[in-house]
Amino acid sequence: HAVLLHLKRGSSYVLELVNQTSWHHPIHLHGHVFRVLANGQWADSVLLDPDGRSEIAFVADNPGDWMLHCHVLEHQSTGMMALVRVA
């Protein structure tokens, strides 16, 4: 899979996840815990409503290639999966 993001180890990031479809997408980031900015909760997954968005914040403190994907297997198989590289 292609590397979607190259993140500097130890740096803080805010990502805006945008769902431009008519389906729910539970988005999961491996290797990190993030804060969902809308509610302040710590998580490793966030549910994106249809036509919804969410901002997440985290420190890229775990080096390696990490999957960022939708937890719905059919969605993964059609391309909703990428790598986040922390180095």
Side-chain angles (χ1 to χ4, degrees), residues 18-46:
V18 179
N19 180 2
Q20 296 178 323
T21 74
S22 299
W23 297 276
H24 286 91
H25 296 294
I27 302 298
H28 176 65
L29 175 61
H30 287 249
H32 293 82
V33 176
F34 54 77
R35 185 166 289 223
V36 180
L37 295 183
N39 60 25
Q41 292 181 343
W42 289 98
D44 64 4
S45 299
V46 63

Side-chain angles (χ1 to χ4, degrees), residues 1 21 23-25 68-82:
H1 294 282
T21 74
W23 297 276
H24 286 91
H25 296 294
L68 174 67
H69 64 92
C70 179
H71 255 272
V72 178
L73 292 177
E74 293 84 3
H75 298 176
Q76 283 183 45
S77 66
T78 59
M80 289 193 72
M81 182 175 4

Side-chain angles (χ1 to χ4, degrees), residues 6-21:
H6 294 266
L7 305 180
K8 182 179 177 187
R9 182 179 182 188
S11 294
S12 297
Y13 292 90
V14 175
L15 300 181
E16 181 181 30
L17 305 174
V18 179
N19 180 2
Q20 296 178 323
T21 74

